[in-house]
Amino acid sequence: MSSPLLQVKGLTKAFGKVVTAREIDLDFEAGVLTSIIGPNGAGKSTFINMMSGSLSADAGAITFDGHDVTRLPIHARVGMGLCRSFQVVNVFPGLTVFENVEIPTLVNRRRAARFFSPRAKETQVRDQALEVLNLVGLGHRTEVKASELSHGDQRLLEVAIAMAARPKLLFLDEPTAGMNPVERVDILKHIRRISNQGSTTFVIVEHDMDIVFSLSDRVVVLHRGDVICDGPPSVVQCDEQVRECYLGQEVM
Amino acid sequence: MITNKAYMAFGLLLAGLVVLGLAGDRFLLYISMRIMILAIFALGFDILFGRTGLLSFGHGAFYAGGAYGVALCYMHLAKDPLLCLLAGVLLATGLALVIGFFCVRHTEIYFAMLTLAFGMMVFSLIWNLREITGGDDGLVGVGRQAINLGLFKIPLRKESEFYFLVLAFFTGAIWVAHRIRTSPFGLILAGIRENDRRTEFAGVNIRNYRLAAFVISGAMAGLAGGLGVLLESNATPHISHWSHSSDPVLVGLIGGLNTLAGPLVGSLVFVGLKELVMRFTTYWMLFFGVVLLIILLGFRGGVVGTLVQRLAGRREVRS
Amino acid sequence: MLQSIVHVCLAGLSQGMFIWLVASGLTLIFGVLGVLNFAHGSFYMLGAYFCFMVLRALGENFWWGLLLGPVCVAAVGYLVERFFLRRVYGLELPYQLLLTFAFVLLFDDLVKIFWGAASIGTPPAPGLADSIMILGRRFPSYNLFVIAVGPLLALGLWGLLEKTWAGRIIRASSSDREMASALGVKVPTLFTAVFVFGTWLGALGGGLAVPYLGLLTPGMGEQIIIEAFVVAVIGGLGSLKGAFLGALVIGLLSAFGTRFLPTFDMFLTFILMAGVLLWRPQGFFGEAR
């Protein structure tokens, strides 16, 4: 019996009187592509922030890969393989595309602290970074400054930076926000393919329902800090409570 | 190809400096040494400000740490210049480690304010602990003994002799700065400047990296201060004052931030202009104020950045 | 002993009031514009020199100088904001900081060019030239006047910010710039107005310092700007209330320090500043970032 990759128990967070997470219990198994959905204010952002370490929980415990990470700082969690991407473009604008990906790769290969040897000598890092860039389709634009990329390409780069850390579990925060439909389909294909390879488990936080249901193995619905539904897409789609609080709102 | 050209340029620069050392008169050598010492200060500072994006207003404290370290070592412990310099750099590094430990908890304006506060603490100690530091008189009479290598001695007393020691350290500082800039660590620092949150999410303990950049720049400031005291033969408290801490900032801006050549060009322009302006008028600060305004409003890349832009613009015409 | 403590307190209070005047403008400008103005100490210095110039021109009467001098400096502040500072609002903080620093260099030398590098002795204020007995020791009555002016000015500022339309706009834009602009406030105009007003406050401090110091020196701005930084940081950058109380604390601390711990009084000031920055970076009255 293997324990889940990420285990959340009794996670609670309140801002003043607003409870954004109420004793959430969730397990994430390796290899299962999970989506977390919910209307605005459901607590999705709070959840992802607590997982990645930007916010500390008021109560509860987070266990990742067998280690208690509840109190660990961001960089330590990333070091263990728990990463995230961002909803808004969050790249290194003044650096080249290659350097953008090189940074997490250097950290991943434990080369970041080398202060007296040329980066050019790190061939393994270069290959690994190029591999990730090829994966998202930016392999031919390595020497372009990130700030000169189109918005869609910057989003791809964002995902590439997150991937380059070789995470075991990667939270993608609205990975398709601001993309055109073609790019959207493209990146989802990439995500599905990488997920099937099995080295990285994805958890996607979205509010776009279509994406979620076509892609996921499992859907978790949050509403005002509670998990109101959790199951395969087909089950969640038919759930009364979900329709009421979430789909109903969409229709309106 | 560009790197080869850069290596050639630095080779030529060093060759020129060697020739200057053999042929130049005392005044020219003195000015050149001041430029090189300031460049060492600014090279280290650029790792913190230009590369990592942290503006310190307290690096005069580390310069002073090096200077007073050398002077105190010379007076109380040992007279060998290399030992004195070692003591000075160690003192500055220790100071930078302690002060940096606190300062890197903040960024931007709060970092600048913290470094200012700590820098002024060091200033107030130097000013007030008269028994140790000589107070406002400073420490005077630091001589340049010969370096004793057992079999033979390297004399440093004359300007033309000491010049080559400064040149050696200057070359070393350029080399160190170059290695750091092209290293993985150097890229992480640039990442912190560009987007510190993202760097943290790449798995970097950004506080430690900032501290490392802080300590490196502090150590190089200490080396500059130590060489400075050997050159001038005295250490005065004003070198730890915040108004002296602004020198490497100005040098960096004039030369160009986050470039290797920037601090070198900036130091040349800074010292050269100051000497030149002071021949005609005592109001060199007015002059620098105007230069600073022009740079800030029109040429934020500094001399090097502007040149690079011009060259790049000529090569490929872009929108 | 009591006499000594009272007099040290009085000296500290009057010193604190000057710092308050400079810090109030500094913190007001930071609160609204987000710019930490290194040149603010120079405006203090210019305030003193302009005051001196006017009082020379108008028959050695200090009060005319105090009235008109700071207004002239405010005009200088207008030029600085309108033609220089405005161009760097969009840039990173270091550039803004360094732009104001350029003016420190400029003004320091300009003052030397116009008034000479040597110190200038100044006449006392008419009507307040003598001193009065407090607990058997003389205390300059002008210093008492300064101690009274500080709180009055604080009260005036408070009234301006809390009770007037202009004050509401300033407060709104200092907490949320976009909100202010959404409310129809012309942000550039507001910035200029606040900068000019802040400059005037600093210059007023300089003008008031003329009889107090009895001596004008070209470097006088550099000392006080650092103290004003300390005070603004301790009180919380952007908080006037904090600046007022911070100025009292620093004034008293340095007065007692000078009297009882002369070796470490400057050290104490800066360790207090660093301590506040580390322990409570938003200061005692600033809002959390």
Side-chain angles (χ1 to χ4, degrees):
Chain A
M1 229 188 67
S2 69
S3 59
L5 184 58
L6 178 68
Q7 197 169 29
V8 178
K9 264 204 174 354
L11 197 71
T12 302
K13 180 82 188 174
F15 296 96
K17 281 182 182 163
V18 185
V19 180
T20 51
R22 189 180 289 111
E23 295 185 27
I24 293 179
D25 295 324
L26 279 175
D27 289 350
F28 296 91
E29 302 286 345
V32 179
L33 205 166
T34 308
S35 291
I36 298 178
I37 60 169
N40 283 333
K44 300 185 303 257
S45 298
T46 308
F47 185 75
I48 207 172
N49 282 335
M50 283 193 286
M51 291 305 111
S52 61
S54 306
L55 276 177
S56 61
D58 294 344
I62 307 165
T63 312
F64 180 73
D65 207 12
H67 303 276
D68 180 15
V69 300
T70 318
R71 301 262 165 259
L72 284 187
I74 293 166
H75 61 87
R77 297 189 199 200
V78 176
M80 295 171 67
L82 178 59
C83 301
R84 69 168 293 183
S85 77
F86 293 83
Q87 199 181 108
V88 289
V89 171
N90 197 351
V91 298
F92 304 101
L95 305 183
T96 66
V97 167
F98 180 74
E99 287 168 337
N100 264 269
V101 178
E102 193 179 0
I103 288 177
T105 312
L106 282 167
V107 179
N108 176 250
R109 302 213 56 113
R110 309 201 179 285
R111 295 289 191 277
R114 297 195 165 189
F115 66 96
F116 221 67
S117 67
R119 260 155 61 212
K121 275 191 188 160
E122 307 287 350
T123 49
Q124 282 178 320
V125 169
R126 192 183 61 213
D127 295 345
Q128 188 175 325
L130 282 176
E131 191 188 313
V132 174
L133 282 171
N134 284 328
L135 202 65
V136 299
L138 286 173
H140 59 295
R141 311 200 60 187
T142 50
E143 294 312 310
V144 181
K145 251 192 182 185
S147 57
E148 287 165 10
L149 290 178
S150 69
H151 183 77
D153 282 349
Q154 290 195 1
R155 301 278 338 188
L156 284 175
L157 181 58
E158 165 78 37
V159 175
I161 297 172
M163 290 294 308
R166 293 221 166 150
K168 290 180 185 140
L169 185 79
L170 176 56
F171 282 93
L172 296 174
D173 195 355
E174 301 200 11
T176 65
M179 283 188 178
N180 66 41
V182 182
E183 292 167 336
R184 206 171 270 218
V185 172
D186 236 34
I187 191 159
L188 292 178
K189 259 195 285 182
H190 285 314
I191 291 171
R192 187 70 247 186
R193 201 182 70 235
I194 303 163
S195 175
N196 289 344
Q197 286 171 0
S199 56
T200 299
T201 303
F202 288 91
V203 177
I204 300 177
V205 176
E206 261 296 350
H207 66 244
D208 186 328
M209 304 289 283
D210 298 339
I211 294 179
V212 165
F213 287 114
S214 63
L215 189 71
S216 321
D217 303 320
R218 171 194 178 199
V219 176
V220 175
V221 187
L222 284 180
H223 182 57
R224 295 196 182 141
D226 282 313
V227 176
I228 60 166
C229 192
D230 181 354
S234 55
V235 174
V236 173
Q237 232 162 352
C238 305
D239 189 275
E240 266 312 305
Q241 221 183 338
V242 175
R243 282 167 173 271
E244 227 169 84
C245 83
Y246 188 51
L247 300 177
Q249 206 182 43
E250 290 273 288
V251 172
M252 274 163 67
Chain B
M1 212 178 77
I2 285 183
T3 24
N4 280 344
K5 270 187 192 161
Y7 279 126
M8 270 172 62
F10 279 111
L12 279 176
L13 171 75
L14 293 179
L17 284 171
V18 170
V19 173
L20 183 74
L22 295 171
D25 67 0
R26 276 187 61 192
F27 178 73
L28 205 55
L29 290 183
Y30 171 73
I31 294 292
S32 310
M33 281 189 275
R34 270 183 45 202
I35 293 172
M36 287 191 279
I37 289 170
L38 184 60
I40 295 172
F41 192 8
L43 275 168
F45 195 81
D46 192 60
I47 292 171
L48 186 68
F49 181 38
R51 191 116 279 236
T52 321
L54 292 171
L55 174 58
S56 161
F57 266 103
H59 265 52
F62 310 126
Y63 187 94
Y68 278 86
V70 165
L72 289 170
C73 178
Y74 181 84
M75 288 164 166
H76 304 295
L77 293 173
K79 300 215 184 298
D80 184 275
L82 288 182
L83 277 180
C84 287
L85 278 172
L86 182 67
V89 171
L90 283 180
L91 182 63
T93 311
L95 263 179
L97 196 62
V98 174
I99 292 176
F101 174 79
F102 293 108
C103 290
V104 296
R105 280 149 199 273
H106 289 305
T107 56
E108 298 194 329
I109 209 98
Y110 290 89
F111 175 83
M113 288 288 100
L114 258 181
T115 51
L116 180 74
F118 277 105
M120 289 302 287
M121 269 187 235
V122 172
F123 172 75
S124 76
L125 287 180
I126 291 178
W127 188 265
N128 286 317
L129 296 177
R130 303 193 125 268
E131 292 76 22
I132 305 170
T133 62
D136 50 351
D137 298 327
L139 297 174
V140 290
V142 181
R144 291 197 295 260
Q145 306 267 321
I147 298 174
N148 196 341
L149 291 177
L151 288 177
F152 60 99
K153 290 181 174 181
I154 304 172
L156 295 177
R157 204 173 46 79
K158 285 192 226 153
E159 250 84 12
S160 56
E161 294 158 351
F162 182 56
Y163 177 89
F164 285 96
L165 185 71
V166 176
L167 181 57
F169 278 112
F170 173 69
T171 313
I174 294 178
W175 184 61
V176 167
H178 170 67
R179 294 294 288 227
I180 289 175
R181 288 173 52 81
T182 51
S183 72
F185 171 76
L187 180 66
I188 302 287
L189 296 185
I192 291 175
R193 179 195 69 231
E194 288 287 320
N195 188 341
D196 54 350
R197 289 309 274 173
R198 198 73 189 81
T199 311
E200 202 174 6
F201 277 104
V204 176
N205 184 342
I206 49 176
R207 203 179 269 183
N208 287 354
Y209 279 76
R210 282 189 170 127
L211 180 59
F214 195 94
V215 172
I216 291 169
S217 65
M220 286 175 79
L223 176 63
L227 289 170
V229 85
L230 288 176
L231 176 67
E232 312 280 358
S233 84
N234 57 48
T236 52
H238 91 271
I239 56 174
S240 62
H241 196 257
W242 70 270
S243 47
H244 183 242
S245 297
S246 63
D247 281 4
V249 188
L250 297 182
V251 167
L253 276 173
I254 292 172
L257 296 178
N258 193 20
T259 55
L260 191 60
L264 313 182
V265 176
S267 304
L268 175 71
V269 175
F270 188 87
V271 176
L273 267 186
K274 197 163 160 178
E275 284 300 318
L276 203 68
V277 172
M278 279 171 86
R279 297 210 165 179
F280 300 103
T281 162
T282 52
Y283 305 117
W284 66 274
M285 286 204 303
L286 177 76
F287 198 81
F288 269 97
V290 173
V291 169
L292 188 55
L293 278 182
I294 292 172
I295 288 172
L296 284 169
L297 294 178
F299 303 94
R300 274 186 288 278
V303 175
V304 173
T306 308
L307 281 178
V308 168
Q309 243 171 16
R310 284 281 152 83
L311 291 176
R314 208 172 291 164
R315 212 164 290 155
E316 45 178 320
V317 184
R318 260 187 308 193
S319 58
Chain C
M1 189 65 196
L2 177 72
Q3 180 213 39
S4 161
I5 285 177
V6 168
H7 274 266
V8 170
C9 275
L10 285 171
L13 283 177
S14 43
Q15 180 62 31
M17 286 311 146
F18 288 109
I19 307 174
W20 147 242
L21 282 170
V22 178
S24 64
L26 185 77
T27 209
L28 192 69
I29 290 172
F30 182 82
V32 177
L33 281 70
V35 173
L36 199 57
N37 184 13
F38 257 110
H40 206 69
S42 307
F43 291 140
Y44 166 86
M45 171 184 70
L46 285 180
Y49 274 93
F50 272 79
C51 172
F52 175 71
M53 187 177 68
V54 174
L55 81 86
R56 265 288 149 80
L58 296 177
E60 299 288 318
N61 191 329
F62 164 70
W63 301 109
W64 279 114
L66 186 63
L67 194 69
L68 298 177
V71 177
C72 303
V73 182
V76 176
Y78 172 79
L79 297 177
V80 169
E81 199 279 341
R82 183 68 187 72
F83 295 104
F84 296 96
L85 201 54
R86 184 172 285 192
R87 292 166 178 232
V88 297
Y89 286 142
L91 298 179
E92 289 162 47
L93 273 165
Y95 291 113
Q96 305 178 352
L97 212 62
L98 291 168
L99 186 96
T100 66
F101 182 70
F103 281 101
V104 175
L105 300 175
L106 270 173
F107 288 139
D108 266 11
D109 265 1
L110 283 176
V111 161
K112 282 183 206 155
I113 290 173
F114 283 108
W115 287 285
S119 301
I120 305 175
T122 55
L128 291 172
D130 52 350
S131 50
I132 54 170
M133 295 292 273
I134 296 174
L135 291 176
R137 230 166 90 184
R138 299 199 151 271
F139 190 76
S141 42
Y142 183 78
N143 295 12
L144 280 181
F145 165 74
V146 170
I147 294 175
V149 165
L152 277 178
L153 196 98
L155 209 65
L157 273 178
W158 176 78
L160 183 76
L161 284 178
E162 297 287 328
K163 302 290 177 198
T164 67
W165 170 78
R168 270 199 296 278
I169 289 178
I170 291 177
R171 277 187 299 140
S173 53
S174 116
S175 52
D176 189 346
R177 199 170 296 172
E178 275 155 36
M179 175 69 123
S181 128
L183 286 171
V185 177
K186 279 193 186 132
V187 174
T189 317
L190 175 80
F191 277 21
T192 310
V194 169
F195 192 84
V196 168
F197 182 62
T199 303
W200 178 79
L201 282 172
L204 186 70
L208 277 169
V210 170
Y212 174 80
L213 297 172
L215 208 62
L216 302 180
T217 36
M220 66 189 279
E222 282 179 31
Q223 175 68 28
I224 197 131
I225 187 63
I226 294 301
E227 282 170 348
F229 273 163
V230 177
V231 160
V233 161
I234 290 174
L237 280 166
S239 160
L240 282 170
K241 191 162 98 186
F244 184 71
L245 294 173
L248 290 185
V249 169
I250 289 301
L252 290 172
L253 186 76
S254 85
F256 276 95
T258 314
R259 177 76 176 73
F260 298 107
L261 246 182
T263 315
F264 290 105
D265 93 81
M266 201 182 357
F267 188 75
L268 283 178
T269 309
F270 287 106
I271 207 163
L272 184 66
M273 173 175 174
V276 170
L277 276 168
L278 287 168
W279 175 56
R280 213 182 138 81
Q282 73 274 31
F284 285 104
F285 292 93
E287 281 167 22
R289 272 190 291 171

